[in-house]
């Protein structure tokens, strides 16, 4: 940092830098540490992505009942500080071109580690791979800020799975996970333990669950009515909190140490577990039966309004809020993970916004580009397409970046 403003941090003794670096266990954070200045870069080795990452093998839910893998991803905000550096050992993706973004800014990105010495970049909402960038992404000038970690199940051949709405490792550390919890088939919640032949339902009577989250080391799940339940260490439901009811789709978000419920009001009926069962039993093409085609979408209601509640743990109730926090936050809702981010990191800096897509099911994700992403303003209740807001649109896919279907 001496060459960028003369900060004394650049002059820390090497043994202190080495001690700090040895305690950083996430490769992206190691790269971020190395990007500070030349003395920090020389004190810590580049993380090794060349060795194959052992996958966490799981059994996929019915109707597949086949082997799959649990894939962790890191959601980051990457700040742009042009001009790009043409080379450097902190580069994690390389491409050429003259249409690099000008000016400051940044973008939201999902990163998955590979065994080929690279980090695979994906769109944070669609999971489409980013195969081309017009600039060389050197961490000397593009610094990722880790926001959260998400997980997904896929077949061992690499294809995404069908009708897995949310998945989490149990316990929270994926490296030591021996159990996987998932919401699948539009409302069932179940788990799979290492060695099990089949999944076990946590609740065999209700199939209307919407979201599950880890909050302060504990697992919480909500259904379509907004009833919040705690899952204990023996994989049983413990205490529950009353429901705010209201809309037709619920998401859980942790922000600033608090737990929020985002209630989405819809224009029509959603798919449910009965529709999925009918598709699996009676259709040769269950995905097409459930989703339809581009011209004729089935069960594809649009969001028309949102309400947000914060859990008051002292009184055990949801309390409606009109702000996403005093420090200026936005929420991003995806199928695999819902998270908050500082509004200042989103182009435009508008706080109290909710970014989402109505097309967040398995097939629709593969049709998505930025035109599917919308933003709801909690203050005035307005909904806009992100594609009409150039600065916000660039956050999810900067100009010149290309995705692969």
């Amino acid at each position: 940092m001496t060459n960028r403003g003369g900060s004394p941090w650049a002059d820390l003794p090497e043994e202190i830098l080495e001690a700090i670096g040895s305690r950083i266990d996430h490769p992206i954070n190691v790269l971020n540490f190395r990007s500070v200045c030349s003395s920090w870069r020389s004190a810590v080795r580049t993380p090794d992505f060349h060795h194959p990452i052992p996958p966490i093998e799981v059994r996929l839910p019915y109707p597949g009942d086949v082997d799959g893998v649990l894939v962790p991803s890191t959601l980051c905000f990457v700040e742009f500080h042009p001009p790009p550096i043409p080379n450097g050992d902190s580069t994690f993706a390389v491409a050429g071109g003259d249409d690099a973004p000008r000016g400051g800014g940044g973008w939201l990105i999902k990163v998955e580690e590979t065994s080929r010495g690279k980090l695979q970049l994906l769109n944070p909402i669609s999971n489409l791979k980013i195969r081309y960038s017009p600039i060389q992404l050197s961490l000397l000038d593009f610094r990722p800020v880790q926001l959260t970690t998400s997980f997904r199940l896929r077949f061992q051949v690499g294809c995404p799975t069908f009708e897995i709405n949310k998945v989490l490792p149990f316990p929270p550390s994926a490296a030591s996970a021996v159990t996987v919890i998932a919401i699948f088939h539009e409302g069932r919640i179940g788990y799979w333990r290492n060695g099990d032949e089949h999944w076990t339902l946590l609740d065999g009577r209700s199939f209307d669950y919407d979201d599950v989250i880890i909050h302060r080391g504990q697992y919480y799940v909500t259904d379509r009515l907004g009833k919040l339940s705690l899952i204990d260490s023996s994989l049983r439901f413990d205490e529950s909190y009353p429901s705010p009811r209201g809309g037709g789709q619920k998401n859980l978000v942790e922000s600033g140490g608090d737990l929020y419920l985002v209630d989405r009001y819809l224009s029509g009926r959603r798919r449910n577990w009965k529709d999925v069962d009918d598709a699996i039993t009676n259709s040769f093409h269950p995905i097409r039966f459930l989703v339809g085609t581009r011209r004729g979408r089935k069960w594809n209601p649009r969001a028309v309004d949102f309400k947000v509640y914060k859990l008051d743990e002292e009184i055990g109730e949801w309390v409606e809020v009109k702000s996403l926090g005093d420090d200026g936050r936005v929420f991003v809702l995806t199928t695999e993970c819902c998270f908050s981010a500082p509004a200042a990191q989103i182009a435009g800096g508008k706080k109290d916004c909710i970014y989402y897509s109505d097309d967040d099911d398995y097939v629709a994700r593969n049709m998505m580009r930025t035109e599917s992403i919308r933003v709801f303003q909690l203050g005035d209740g307005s909904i806009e397409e992100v594609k009409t807001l150039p600065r916000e649109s660039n956050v999810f896919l900067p100009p010149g970046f290309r995705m692969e279907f």
Side-chain angles (χ1 to χ4, degrees), residues 229-242:
S229 300
L230 176 67
I231 302 173
D232 64 21
S233 58
S234 60
L235 290 171
R236 291 186 174 89
F237 287 121
D238 195 357
E239 60 183 309
S240 61
Y241 298 87

Side-chain angles (χ1 to χ4, degrees), residues 35 59 304 373:
S35 73
R59 193 79 167 168
V304 296
I373 304 172

Side-chain angles (χ1 to χ4, degrees), residues 313-335:
E313 298 188 41
E314 291 187 2
I315 63 175
E317 292 183 4
W318 290 111
V319 178
E320 186 175 359
V321 296
K322 300 298 183 182
S323 168
L324 302 183
D326 296 334
D327 56 346
R329 311 290 292 186
V330 299
F331 288 175
V332 181
L333 311 181
T334 77
T335 302

Side-chain angles (χ1 to χ4, degrees), residues 1 19 61 98 106 132 185 217 219 244 250 262 289 302 334 347 357 387:
M1 293 175 67
D98 299 324
Y132 173 84
H185 295 175
Y219 291 73
K250 309 294 191 292
V262 180
F289 177 85
R302 301 292 178 182
T334 77
S357 172
K387 70 176 182 180

Side-chain angles (χ1 to χ4, degrees), residues 175-191:
S176 62
V178 294
T179 302
V180 173
I181 296 176
I183 295 176
F184 55 94
H185 295 175
E186 296 294 340
R188 289 177 170 90
I189 183 168
Y191 65 89

Side-chain angles (χ1 to χ4, degrees), residues 35-149:
S35 73
V36 171
C37 61
S38 59
S39 62
W40 287 40
R41 188 161 59 254
S42 62
V44 179
R45 294 173 54 187
T46 304
D48 188 0
F49 297 110
H50 294 275
H51 294 295
I53 301 168
I56 300 174
E57 297 185 358
V58 301
R59 193 79 167 168
L60 298 179
Y62 175 85
D65 278 338
V66 297
D67 292 332
V69 293
L70 179 68
V71 181
S73 304
T74 302
L75 283 146
C76 302
F77 180 80
V78 180
E79 278 190 291
F80 294 164
H81 298 286
I85 299 294
N87 53 49
D89 61 9
S90 56
T91 298
F92 63 86
V94 179
D98 299 324
D99 52 347
R102 304 298 177 189
W107 99 102
L108 287 171
I109 193 69
K110 181 179 286 188
V111 182
E112 288 183 358
E113 299 174 27
T114 75
S115 59
R116 300 186 298 273
K118 298 287 183 180
L119 298 178
Q120 177 64 61
L121 308 183
L122 303 98
N123 182 276
I125 292 183
S126 68
N127 276 329
L128 297 179
K129 295 178 181 179
I130 295 177
R131 287 300 193 188
Y132 173 84
S133 84
I135 51 179
Q136 179 162 320
L137 302 177
S138 169
L139 288 177
L140 296 174
D141 290 272
F142 300 84
R143 295 186 182 177
V145 178
Q146 182 177 347
L147 298 174
T148 189
T149 300

